[in-house]
Amino acid sequence: DERAFELLLGRGAEGGTLGPVTLRQRGLAAMINATAATATARLLLGDAFDAATTTAALERVNPPFGRGEVVDADGDPLELVLVKNPAGFTVALGTYGGEPAATMIAINDDYADGRDVSWLYDVSFESLRDKGVAITSGVRGWDMALRLQYDDVPVASTEVDLGRALDAFLADHAGEPKRIFCTYTAMLALRRMLGERYDLPEMGVDAPETQGA
């Protein structure tokens, strides 16, 4: 499930093992971060390092907002996945795209996203073919729909306004696990809307108003 793994401590596991650890965030990057944190703690604490305490601490860490964060959307899991470049989107599809879920993709082209969205053509979306994409949205929602067409990925609808798209996505796919891949400013706007709808913790930054109208 891209969350559970075991750590070998020291060269040849001379320091024993840690885990299995089940993280709250999925993916290789999260596992690498957890490994680095464990190695640092072991180095600094020396003999005071405790594997059980470390395992419990790692399993309590929540994903940062919008970066693999799982929102309880009326009883259904909704994963909010930030994508910023071809490498990141490719890893995200490999990490999240294999498990069936209703999918929304929201692409903006504000300064923080990057104005040129031609990078989308360096990403393979073939893993989304079987289930298709429920809706594309954001300022570049139509561009995203066109990009998916080239990879023979069916797109049910396009709505550039993020607020209307989110409302339709949640309503049309009630009772299903859901996933939203989104660029940075689209993520901030969607996370703000989800926060208001489901009383989520603050993000720590000011999210923009609905974009893509």
Side-chain angles (χ1 to χ4, degrees), residues 103-109 133-145 148 155 157-166 169 180-183 186 190 193 210-213:
T103 300
M104 171 176 165
I105 303 180
I107 305 295
N108 276 352
D109 65 353
V133 170
I135 188 166
T136 59
S137 185
V139 176
R140 294 300 193 105
W142 287 108
D143 296 81
M144 187 68 243
L148 292 169
V155 178
S157 64
T158 296
E159 168 54 72
V160 296
D161 182 85
L162 290 173
R164 290 195 289 268
L166 180 62
F169 183 58
I180 305 177
F181 296 105
C182 43
T183 56
L190 289 166
M193 288 183 273
T210 302
Q211 299 187 29

Side-chain angles (χ1 to χ4, degrees), residues 70-78 170 173-178 198:
V70 181
V71 175
D72 184 339
D74 301 312
D76 304 318
L78 186 158
L170 293 173
H173 298 278
E176 299 178 53
K178 289 173 275 291
Y198 298 114

Side-chain angles (χ1 to χ4, degrees), residues 87-173:
F89 211 150
T90 298
V91 169
L93 288 169
T95 300
Y96 299 93
E99 293 189 5
T103 300
M104 171 176 165
I105 303 180
I107 305 295
N108 276 352
D109 65 353
D110 290 344
Y111 179 77
D113 306 298
R115 297 293 190 184
D116 182 2
V117 296
S118 63
W119 63 269
L120 293 170
Y121 285 83
D122 293 325
V123 181
S124 172
F125 295 96
E126 294 179 3
S127 62
L128 300 177
R129 277 180 186 165
D130 288 345
K131 191 168 179 63
V133 170
I135 188 166
T136 59
S137 185
V139 176
R140 294 300 193 105
W142 287 108
D143 296 81
M144 187 68 243
L146 177 62
R147 172 64 191 94
L148 292 169
Q149 182 178 344
Y150 281 109
D151 272 358
D152 297 319
V153 177
V155 178
S157 64
T158 296
E159 168 54 72
V160 296
D161 182 85
L162 290 173
R164 290 195 289 268
L166 180 62
D167 287 344
F169 183 58
L170 293 173
D172 293 346
H173 298 278

